[in-house]
Amino acid sequence: MRTPLPALAAVLALAAAPVALTTPAQASTPLILCTGSVTVDYSPPLGPLPRQTTQGVTERLGASGGGSCTGPFAGGSAFTVFDQQVSCLAQGLGDTLVQNVVTYHWQGGQTSTITYPVTTVVHAGNQEIVTSTGTVTAGYGAGSLSERVAVYPSLDVLDCLGSDITRQTGVLTVTLG
């Protein structure tokens, strides 16, 4: 079956047209895209078997984290503490079992509290990639969607067997909008 050229041109024009997928609340919020660093401190140190572990997560976005930000803020930070069953041999599995709530403190005094109910963990190329998707529940950008991607180097198996892993650092990207 042949498609007449005017009909094909109309379909192509429609496909190329920008589509607005934001709600009215999101449309007025500028997009924030920040890169930086993330550090996770474990107490007690990670070992080969799952055990209850306190994790202190420090996020630095913008220049203070070795990255940059686009949007209304030059940078921001967050510190979150949570407890979960975790093991270095099943690195990242615990992240998929908890809902994360993170409050970012932006330069200039504003905050954004984001609830991340969905987290996926992928191990690829000697890296652990932790992707969290959620919604800004309070503060700047309330109602906007957010994605948080942390990339860590895979943990050393020998260190894991010795229960010596007290800290893990990686790079971080946070989008809001």
Side-chain angles (χ1 to χ4, degrees):
M1 177 170 143
R2 295 180 57 196
T3 304
L5 287 179
L8 180 59
V11 169
L12 291 175
L14 183 59
V19 178
L21 296 177
T22 58
T23 63
Q26 292 172 318
S28 64
T29 303
L31 175 69
I32 295 173
L33 170 61
C34 288
T35 59
S37 64
V38 58
T39 302
V40 184
D41 290 300
Y42 302 102
S43 179
L46 294 183
L49 300 175
R51 63 179 164 201
Q52 195 67 20
T53 305
T54 299
Q55 298 177 52
V57 182
T58 303
E59 301 178 32
R60 289 186 173 83
L61 299 167
S64 69
S68 63
C69 288
T70 59
F73 307 113
S77 64
F79 180 72
T80 309
V81 177
F82 57 94
D83 294 314
Q84 67 183 18
Q85 292 283 334
V86 67
S87 158
C88 58
L89 291 180
Q91 183 185 8
L93 177 61
D95 292 329
T96 64
L97 304 175
V98 296
Q99 175 172 282
N100 294 301
V101 178
V102 179
T103 299
Y104 290 97
H105 299 269
W106 303 111
Q107 286 180 341
Q110 293 196 52
T111 63
S112 297
T113 299
I114 304 170
T115 301
Y116 293 111
V118 178
T119 297
T120 59
V121 178
V122 174
H123 294 274
N126 292 324
Q127 293 181 328
E128 174 193 27
I129 304 161
V130 181
T131 304
S132 301
T133 306
T135 304
V136 181
T137 54
Y140 181 83
S144 298
L145 297 178
S146 178
E147 182 176 69
R148 178 186 175 274
V149 179
V151 180
Y152 305 95
S154 293
L155 296 174
D156 182 88
V157 173
L158 294 177
D159 287 342
C160 177
L161 294 174
S163 298
D164 290 337
I165 298 175
T166 59
R167 174 174 277 185
Q168 188 176 18
T169 59
V171 294
L172 180 67
T173 301
V174 174
T175 58
L176 198 92

